[in-house]
C-alpha cells in the first residue's frame, strides 16, 4: 500500500519584509485510498503545504521530509515528483497561450507513462471524462485555461486528475468560487477518480461545504503553520458551527 | 510575461493624441508634453509619420548615417551594399503553384500598376525601386477563392533588386504565399493593391540561409470594404528587415497585420509597421510576436499607427510581444500612436517583452512534463497564435516544426 508521509516540515518564503516562516513543523501521513481534509483560516499555511509538496520554487524547505513510499520527494524536480505519482490541482491555474487542451493532456500523459497513450482508447477516455464533467466537446480544442471561467478551470483540473491517474492528489481549494451545481459536478469527478484508482487525497479547503459531497476520513485543522487539531469527519461539522475562532484565540495566546 | 527585459520604449513620435480616446494601457501625462529643464528640448523636430519624405529616387534621400528614425535600430554597416550599392535588377527566378484566375506576368517600369500602392520612405527601398528591370505582376480576378505560392531560393550572394505588384480585383479573394529560402542579398518592394471588396491574404515566409540579408518594403492600399490579412514569419537569415506600410484610404477598409519571428544568436530581425488611417470607418489590428535566444539575438518592432483627421470611426489596436529565452538577447519594441481626431471607435497599443513565465513552466512540470519539453510547448504555443492565422494546415505544421527545430538546435534553454 502506498503512503505519502510528511514529517516535521518547515518552510519559508521570501517576502518584501524578509524571510517569513510559514510551515513550522507539519506531520501528516496519508495512506492510499484515504481522504484527508485540511482546513484552516486564511494564512495558516494550507496552500504553502500544497505547493511545497509539488515543488514550487517559491517555497524554501528549511527542514523535514516528504516521502512517497519511502522515497524522498523534496530532492526531486517538479516533473519528477509528478512522474512519481503526485498531482496538485491548483487554485489559480495559469493560461498557456497557443497550447490546446488536447495537446497538453496528451503531452502530460506521454510524459507520465513514458510512452504515448493508444490513440483511440485515449480519445474515448477523454470524451467520457469530459461528458461526465459536463464539459463541451469544443473544450479540447481551446487553449489551456485561456478564457476559461472559474468553474471551467476547476473542471479542467479535475479532468486531469481523472485522466492522469496520480497515486496521491492535493486539491488546493478546488471548491472555492464554484456555485453549487459546479461544486457537485467537480465533487462527483473527484469521487469517481478515487473509486477508479484508489488514490489518496489531501483536500485543502477553507469551507466545509465540499465535505458534504466528499466525505473525509480525517480532518486536520491548520493554524499558524501547524496541525492544531485532528479528528474524524465530525470535526468538520464542529468547524461548520463554530468557525475557526477557537483556534485563532489559542494561537494569539501562544 | 512578467519582468520586462530588453528595451521597451516609447519615443520618436509626439502624437497630438486625444486623451480619453485611447484605450488599452494606462497612460500617465504624455511623456514629453512639456520641455525638460535642461533646455534644448524644442530643437528636436516633430517626427510625425505623415510628414516622412517619400521618393522613388535614391538620390533624393540624404546619405544614410544610421541615426535616422528609419535606420537607428538597423545594422547599417552590413546593409551598405543594399542601401547605396549597385543592385542587379534582372528577373528573379521563382517557381509557381497557382490556381487559374491568377495571372502572373513581367511588366515594364512604365506600367500603371507600378507605384499604385505607395512610394519608398527610405533609401534602400528607393535603391531597389530604381534598379529593377521588370516588375512581377500578380493579378487576382474572379470571385472564387484563389491561391498562389511563389517560392524563391538560391538568389545568390550578389546584391539584387526586385519589384512585385499584387493586384486583387474588385470582389476577388485569394491567398498569396511567398516562400523564401537559400542564400540571398536582396532589397525589394512589394506593392499590394486591393480593389473594392477584395479579400486578400498575403503570407511571406523567411527561411533563408544563415548568411542571407533581406530588406523588404511592403506597401498596401486598401479599397472600399476590402480586407487584407498580411502575415510575415521570419525564422532564418542573418538580417531580415521587412517593413509594411498600409494605407486605408477608402471607407470600410480592414487590415490584420501579423508577424511571428524566432531570432537566434547574432541574427537581426526587424519590422517597421505603419498603418495609415485616412478614410472613415476603417479598422486595423496589428499583432507581432517574437521569441529570441542566444547572444546578440536582436529583434526590432516599430509600430506606427496614424489616425488622420479624416478617419472618423477608426478602430485600431496594435501590439507586440517578445519572449526572451536567454541572456544576451535584445528586443526593441516601439509602439507609436498618433491620433488627429477625437471621433474614433477605439485605438490602443500594447507592448511586453519578458522572460519565461515561471508559473507556466511550473504548471506544465507539475503534470510530469520535463522542463525542456515545457519550454518547447510554451514557445511553440506563443508563436502558434500567429502561425495559425495562415489557415493552411500543412504550411502551419511545417513552420511549427521549424520553430521547434530552432529551439532544439540551440540546445541551451536555460
Amino acid at each position: 500500500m502506498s503512503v505519502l508521509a510528511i514529517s516535521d516540515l518547515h518552510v519559508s518564503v521570501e517576502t518584501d519584509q524578509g524571510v517569513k516562516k510559514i510551515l513550522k513543523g507539519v506531520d501528516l501521513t496519508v495512506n492510499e485510498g484515504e481522504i484527508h481534509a485540511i482546513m484552516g483560516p486564511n494564512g495558516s499555511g494550507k496552500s504553502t503545504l500544497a505547493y511545497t509538496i509539488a515543488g514550487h520554487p517559491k517555497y524554501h524547505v528549511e527542514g523535514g521530509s516528504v516521502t512517497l513510499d519511502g522515497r524522498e520527494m523534496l530532492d526531486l524536480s517538479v516533473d519528477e515528483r509528478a512522474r512519481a505519482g503526485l498531482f496538485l490541482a491548483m487554485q489559480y491555474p495559469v493560461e498557456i497561450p497557443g497550447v490546446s487542451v488536447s495537446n497538453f493532456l496528451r503531452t502530460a500523459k506521454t510524459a507520465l507513462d513514458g510512452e504515448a497513450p493508444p490513440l483511440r482508447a485515449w480519445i474515448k477516455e477523454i470524451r467520457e471524462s469530459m461528458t461526465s464533467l459536463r464539459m463541451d466537446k469544443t473544450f479540447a480544442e481551446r487553449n489551456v485555461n485561456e478564457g476559461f471561467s472559474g468553474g471551467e478551470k476547476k473542471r479542467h483540473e479535475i479532468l486531469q486528475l481523472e485522466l492522469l491517474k496520480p497515486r496521491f492528489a492535493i486539491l488546493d481549494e478546488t471548491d472555492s468560487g464554484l456555485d453549487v451545481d459546479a461544486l457537485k459536478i467537480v465533487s462527483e469527478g473527484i469521487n469517481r477518480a478515487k473509486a477508479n484508482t484508489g488514490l489518496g487525497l489531501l483536500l485543502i479547503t477553507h469551507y466545509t461545504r465540499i465535505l458534504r459531497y466528499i466525505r473525509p476520513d480525517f480532518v486536520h485543522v491548520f493554524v499558524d503553520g501547524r496541525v492544531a487539531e485532528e479528528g474524524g469527519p465530525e470535526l468538520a461539522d464542529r468547524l461548520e458551527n463554530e468557525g475557526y475562532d477557537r483556534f485563532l484565540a489559542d494561537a494569539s495566546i501562544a | 510575461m512578467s519582468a520586462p527585459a530588453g528595451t521597451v520604449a516609447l519615443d520618436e513620435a509626439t502624437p497630438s493624441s486625444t486623451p480619453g480616446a485611447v484605450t488599452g494601457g494606462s497612460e500617465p501625462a504624455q511623456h514629453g508634453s512639456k520641455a525638460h529643464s535642461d533646455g534644448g528640448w524644442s530643437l528636436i523636430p516633430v517626427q510625425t509619420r505623415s510628414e516622412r519624405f517619400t521618393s522613388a529616387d535614391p538620390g533624393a534621400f540624404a546619405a544614410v548615417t544610421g541615426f535616422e528614425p528609419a535606420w537607428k535600430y538597423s545594422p547599417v554597416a552590413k546593409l551598405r551594399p543594399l542601401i547605396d550599392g549597385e543592385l542587379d535588377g534582372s528577373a528573379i527566378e521563382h517557381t509557381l503553384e497557382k490556381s487559374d484566375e491568377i495571372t502572373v506576368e513581367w511588366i515594364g517600369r512604365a506600367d500603371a500598376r507600378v507605384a499604385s500602392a505607395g512610394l519608398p520612405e527610405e533609401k534602400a527601398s528607393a535603391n531597389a525601386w530604381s534598379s529593377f528591370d521588370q516588375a512581377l505582376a500578380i493579378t487576382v480576378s474572379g470571385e472564387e477563392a484563389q491561391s498562389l505560392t511563389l517560392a524563391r531560393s538560391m538568389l545568390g550572394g550578389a546584391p539584387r533588386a526586385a519589384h512585385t505588384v499584387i493586384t486583387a480585383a474588385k470582389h476577388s479573394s485569394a491567398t498569396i504565399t511567398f516562400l523564401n529560402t537559400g542564400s540571398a542579398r536582396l532589397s525589394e518592394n512589394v506593392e499590394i493593391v486591393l480593389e473594392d471588396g477584395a479579400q486578400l491574404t498575403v503570407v511571406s515566409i523567411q527561411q533563408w540561409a544563415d548568411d542571407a540579408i533581406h530588406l523588404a518594403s511592403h506597401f498596401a492600399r486598401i479599397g472600399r470594404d476590402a480586407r487584407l490579412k498580411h502575415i510575415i514569419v521570419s525564422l532564418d537569415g542573418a538580417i531580415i528587415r521587412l517593413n509594411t506600410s498600409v494605407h486605408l484610404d477608402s471607407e470600410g477598409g480592414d487590415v490584420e497585420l501579423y508577424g511571428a519571428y524566432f531570432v537566434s544568436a547574432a541574427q537581426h530581425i526587424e519590422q517597421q509597421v505603419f498603418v495609415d488611417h485616412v478614410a472613415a470607418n476603417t479598422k486595423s489590428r496589428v499583432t507581432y510576436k517574437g521569441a529570441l535566444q542566444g547572444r546578440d539575438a536582436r529583434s526590432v518592432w516599430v509600430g506606427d499607427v496614424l489616425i488622420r483627421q479624416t478617419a472618423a470611426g477608426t478602430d485600431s489596436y496594435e501590439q507586440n510581444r517578445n519572449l526572451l529565452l536567454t541572456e544576451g538577447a535584445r528586443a526593441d519594441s516601439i509602439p507609436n500612436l498618433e491620433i488627429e481626431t477625437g471621433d474614433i471607435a477605439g485605438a490602443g497599443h500594447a507592448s511586453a517583452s519578458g522572460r519565461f513565465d515561471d508559473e507556466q513552466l511550473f504548471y506544465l512540470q507539475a503534470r510530469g512534463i520535463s522542463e525542456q519539453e515545457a519550454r518547447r510547448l510554451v514557445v511553440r504555443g506563443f508563436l502558434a497564435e500567429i502561425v495559425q492565422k495562415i489557415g493552411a494546415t500543412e504550411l502551419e505544421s511545417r513552420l511549427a516544426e521549424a520553430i521547434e527545430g530552432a529551439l532544439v538546435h540551440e540546445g541551451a534553454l536555460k
Side-chain angles (χ1 to χ4, degrees), chain A residues 56 79 83 88 95 157 160, chain B residues 359-360 363 365 367-368 381:
Chain A
H56 194 288
D79 50 307
R83 291 198 294 272
L88 170 62
E95 296 180 359
E157 293 296 289
Q160 295 168 55
Chain B
E359 295 303 322
Q360 290 181 345
Y363 188 76
Q365 285 188 265
R367 301 302 179 246

Side-chain angles (χ1 to χ4, degrees), chain A residues 219-221 229-240 246:
Chain A
V219 175
H220 311 264
V221 182
E229 191 166 338
E230 294 175 295
E234 72 288 346
L235 181 54
D237 299 333
R238 200 177 153 195
L239 288 169
E240 167 108 31
R246 174 165 63 95

Side-chain angles (χ1 to χ4, degrees), chain B residues 110-125:
Chain B
D111 192 286
R113 281 168 280 183
V114 173
S116 53
L119 278 176
E121 288 194 338
E122 37 87 351
K123 202 177 175 80
S125 172

Side-chain angles (χ1 to χ4, degrees), chain A residues 74-141:
Chain A
L74 299 178
D75 298 337
L76 304 181
S77 64
V78 176
D79 50 307
E80 286 169 338
R81 294 181 201 197
R83 291 198 294 272
L86 296 181
F87 180 89
L88 170 62
M90 299 192 202
Q91 191 181 355
Y92 304 110
V94 294
E95 296 180 359
I96 320 262
V99 178
S100 69
V101 167
S102 67
N103 181 17
F104 164 66
L105 291 173
R106 191 178 54 246
T107 306
K109 188 69 178 172
T110 305
L112 290 167
D113 292 359
E115 58 180 357
L119 194 60
R120 200 169 291 181
W122 175 242
I123 288 171
K124 184 163 172 266
E125 208 180 332
I126 292 180
R127 202 169 292 156
E128 284 171 1
S129 284
M130 281 177 53
T131 306
S132 47
L133 287 166
R134 321 276 202 287
M135 294 163 88
D136 190 81
K137 261 191 292 213
T138 57
F139 200 87
E141 297 317 314

Side-chain angles (χ1 to χ4, degrees), chain A residues 40-41 206 221-223 229 238-253:
Chain A
H206 184 76
V221 182
F222 246 59
V223 179
E229 191 166 338
R238 200 177 153 195
L239 288 169
E240 167 108 31
N241 299 325
E242 297 175 10
Y244 296 112
D245 288 354
R246 174 165 63 95
F247 299 103
L248 292 174
D250 287 353
S252 60
I253 292 164

Side-chain angles (χ1 to χ4, degrees), chain B residues 49-51 117-118 121 220-224 245-255 274-284 304-316 338-341 343-344:
Chain B
R49 185 68 195 243
S50 57
E51 287 170 12
E121 288 194 338
R221 195 168 293 282
I222 313 297
R224 192 184 171 97
S245 296
V246 176
H247 302 281
L248 288 153
D249 44 17
S250 295
E251 267 202 62
D254 182 331
V255 292
F274 176 37
V275 179
D276 187 8
H277 286 272
V278 183
N281 301 315
T282 49
K283 183 179 172 186
S284 68
D304 292 344
V305 173
L306 170 60
I307 301 172
R308 297 189 192 242
Q309 211 162 6
T310 47
T314 288
D315 180 3
S316 157
E338 292 178 79
I339 307 175
E340 295 176 347
T341 173
D343 182 16
I344 59 170

Side-chain angles (χ1 to χ4, degrees), chain B residues 75-406:
Chain B
V76 166
K78 292 176 185 163
L79 301 174
R80 284 290 174 200
L82 292 173
I83 298 172
D84 304 316
E86 196 169 313
L87 305 176
D88 171 5
S90 61
I92 283 179
E93 333 45 77
H94 58 247
T95 56
L96 276 181
E97 224 176 274
K98 67 172 192 69
S99 52
D100 293 341
E101 294 194 81
I102 298 185
T103 58
V104 178
E105 59 188 321
W106 292 100
I107 57 173
R109 299 182 57 87
D111 192 286
R113 281 168 280 183
V114 173
S116 53
L119 278 176
E121 288 194 338
E122 37 87 351
K123 202 177 175 80
S125 172
N127 196 24
W129 198 292
S130 66
S131 302
F132 73 88
D133 296 339
Q134 287 187 303
L136 187 69
I138 299 170
T139 308
V140 184
S141 56
E143 292 197 357
E144 299 295 315
Q146 305 290 312
S147 73
L148 174 143
T149 300
L150 185 148
R152 302 185 292 189
S153 64
M154 305 307 286
L155 273 61
R160 303 181 72 166
H163 198 100
T164 308
V165 184
I166 302 167
T167 311
K170 217 172 181 176
H171 300 304
S172 66
S173 161
T175 298
I176 308 284
T177 306
F178 295 96
L179 293 176
N180 294 314
T181 58
S183 54
R185 192 153 298 184
L186 174 67
S187 181
E188 67 169 340
N189 292 294
V190 177
E191 299 189 68
I192 303 165
V193 177
L194 275 71
E195 295 180 357
D196 295 351
Q199 308 250 341
L200 188 69
T201 299
V202 174
V203 183
S204 184
I205 291 163
Q206 285 63 243
Q207 287 185 282
W208 297 110
D210 290 345
D211 62 346
I213 298 179
H214 181 205
L215 301 183
S217 295
H218 287 207
F219 306 91
R221 195 168 293 282
I222 313 297
R224 192 184 171 97
D225 299 323
R227 186 165 177 195
L228 172 68
K229 187 155 86 168
H230 185 268
I231 303 162
I232 65 175
V233 180
S234 293
L235 303 177
D236 302 305
I239 303 169
I240 300 168
R241 195 178 111 122
L242 205 164
N243 300 342
T244 305
S245 296
V246 176
H247 302 281
L248 288 153
D249 44 17
S250 295
E251 267 202 62
D254 182 331
V255 292
E256 294 171 43
L257 308 179
Y258 299 106
Y261 44 97
F262 191 101
V263 194
S264 299
Q267 241 185 319
H268 179 102
I269 296 184
E270 174 168 350
Q271 33 261 316
Q272 298 189 18
V273 182
F274 176 37
V275 179
D276 187 8
H277 286 272
V278 183
N281 301 315
T282 49
K283 183 179 172 186
S284 68
R285 290 289 181 273
V286 180
T287 305
Y288 275 64
K289 293 178 95 173
L292 297 89
Q293 85 179 345
R295 181 174 290 277
D296 297 325
R298 173 89 186 268
S299 73
V300 177
W301 178 82
V302 180
D304 292 344
V305 173
L306 170 60
I307 301 172
R308 297 189 192 242
Q309 211 162 6
T310 47
T314 288
D315 180 3
S316 157
Y317 196 86
E318 60 166 352
Q319 59 171 327
N320 176 225
R321 303 254 181 266
N322 294 296
L323 192 52
L324 292 122
L325 304 174
T326 63
E327 296 281 322
R330 170 174 167 168
D332 289 84
S333 179
I334 303 141
N336 297 309
L337 188 50
E338 292 178 79
I339 307 175
E340 295 176 347
T341 173
D343 182 16
I344 59 170
H349 57 203
S351 166
S353 298
R355 56 190 290 279
F356 257 113
D357 184 340
D358 288 335
E359 295 303 322
Q360 290 181 345
L361 288 185
F362 174 71
Y363 188 76
L364 294 169
Q365 285 188 265
R367 301 302 179 246
I369 298 165
S370 71
E371 186 179 339
Q372 170 122 347
E373 179 77 16
R375 284 173 183 270
R376 209 177 295 159
L377 264 183
V378 170
V379 173
R380 185 179 165 157
F382 179 73
L383 296 178
E385 190 199 330
I386 304 296
V387 173
Q388 282 166 5
K389 303 286 183 192
I390 295 173
T393 319
E394 200 182 316
L395 185 56
E396 283 173 17
S397 53
R398 219 189 71 196
L399 289 172
E401 271 168 36
I403 290 163
E404 286 199 7

